[in-house]
Amino acid sequence: MKALVNSELLKLRTLPTWWVAGLAMAAIAVLLAGWNSWQAHTFMQPFEDYLAGAVLTPREDMSAEQVASMRDLWETQGDPGRIAATLYTSGQVFGLLLAGVLAVLLVTNEYHYRTLTATFLAAPRRGRVITAKLVAVLITSAGLWLVATSVGLVVGGIFLSSQGAGLGLGSGDVLGAVLLNLAAYMVWGVFGFGLGVLIRSQTAATVTAAALYFLSSVVVAFAFQAVHDLLIEEDWVLQAQVLLPGVASQIMTTPGELFSGAPAAWTGAVVLLAYSLIGGITGTLLLLRRDVT
């Protein structure tokens, strides 16, 4: 099995994909950590300074409800544990997509270069080959997480130290968010594996993975908010966003609530686990039975 896993990893290393992905992950993580640091600085100010910079309306012209709402936001977003966790998981926005795309490439490269038949001839027991591919997917996903987390720890640590704040590494919530972020990377990797088996075309599978990620993270989530604000003002409408893999990833790794009334972190973990099982089982069954000649 070890030889099969090494073989799958070698297939990635023989292409420039792995180091391009690593460099892209590091660069994006630096930018996102810098952006999150700037955002965190806003909420780490005294409330009066935050209020003066956040709104154009003078304090004396604001109603008590408006001030209370702004204070709630300042207290929530300025929580030290939330800030530290956000900084250390900064690369998630891009990293989860990259984990899925690398997994797609690990499978579709076999179709693209017509090497899958040779792979199964060299190792006739397809189950072992599929297991090796899944292990390789988990390793590459963990590698991307390690790059992004290392950058987040460095940039975040520098920022928090400059603000005279603690690093938060002794907090269970912060460490939990970082480790759950690892799980999210792996889940998106397994999901990408299943997608790569389902859609043989490398280009089509990659575009589909990107579209699913951004649609579920941004567009559809915005649609839920619009439905809640304009049509059905019920909490369950916003809570239903957890069914989207992109939103579930954020809910799982955010200490406290991602948004008002958001489901608990374990709910996001369950949803992602379900997507992982669907992707892994679907990909496994298709590769076991599909004619690859």
Side-chain angles (χ1 to χ4, degrees):
M1 178 57 67
K2 183 178 179 180
L4 287 175
V5 173
N6 288 335
S7 175
E8 294 300 326
L9 293 175
L10 179 62
K11 292 173 184 177
L12 274 181
R13 294 199 303 270
T14 53
L15 297 172
T17 307
W18 69 273
W19 61 262
V20 171
L23 289 176
M25 184 72 265
I28 293 296
V30 169
L31 293 175
L32 291 174
W35 169 259
N36 286 333
S37 296
W38 179 77
Q39 291 277 66
H41 174 71
T42 301
F43 292 104
M44 293 173 76
Q45 300 177 91
F47 177 66
E48 294 299 330
D49 293 341
Y50 160 72
L51 191 62
V55 295
L56 298 178
T57 305
R59 169 66 182 266
E60 56 272 14
D61 294 336
M62 297 180 66
S63 66
E65 291 78 10
Q66 289 176 314
V67 174
S69 176
M70 294 297 293
R71 182 176 289 278
D72 287 342
L73 179 63
W74 174 75
E75 291 176 348
T76 300
Q77 298 296 330
D79 177 74
R82 186 187 184 102
I83 288 175
T86 300
L87 290 171
Y88 300 154
T89 60
S90 292
Q92 185 192 88
V93 174
F94 178 78
L96 298 184
L97 171 61
L98 194 54
V101 168
L102 276 182
V104 164
L105 294 178
L106 187 66
V107 178
T108 56
N109 276 341
E110 298 270 24
Y111 296 117
H112 184 73
Y113 295 106
R114 302 183 184 278
T115 58
L116 191 56
T117 300
T119 297
F120 284 147
L121 286 174
R125 296 174 63 181
R126 290 192 179 189
R128 289 172 59 84
V129 174
I130 294 169
T131 301
K133 286 185 178 295
L134 283 170
V135 172
V137 164
L138 294 178
I139 291 174
T140 54
S141 298
L144 290 173
W145 167 84
L146 182 60
V147 171
T149 303
S150 298
V151 171
L153 286 170
V154 172
V155 176
I158 292 173
F159 167 74
L160 290 174
S161 297
S162 71
Q163 299 298 305
L167 299 182
L169 295 176
S171 167
D173 288 340
V174 174
L175 292 178
V178 172
L179 293 177
L180 285 172
N181 196 36
L182 169 61
Y185 273 77
M186 290 183 169
V187 166
W188 274 91
V190 175
F191 182 69
F193 166 82
L195 190 62
V197 175
L198 188 63
I199 305 175
R200 298 189 187 190
S201 169
Q202 193 171 84
T203 302
T206 301
V207 171
T208 300
L212 285 174
Y213 179 75
F214 285 113
L215 284 175
S216 68
S217 299
V218 182
V219 179
V220 180
F222 176 79
F224 274 89
Q225 186 67 53
V227 170
H228 174 268
D229 293 343
L230 301 176
L231 299 175
I232 308 174
E233 296 184 7
E234 299 289 342
D235 290 342
W236 64 264
V237 175
L238 293 179
Q239 293 170 351
Q241 294 180 75
V242 74
L243 297 176
L244 306 173
V247 177
S249 304
Q250 298 175 52
I251 288 175
M252 185 176 73
T253 58
T254 301
E257 294 185 336
L258 178 64
F259 52 84
S260 179
W266 65 265
T267 310
V270 170
V271 171
L272 284 183
L273 178 61
Y275 278 108
S276 176
L277 290 174
I278 292 172
I281 292 173
T282 300
T284 298
L285 292 177
L286 286 174
L287 276 179
L288 283 173
R289 300 183 180 185
R290 177 178 284 169
D291 181 7
V292 297
T293 56

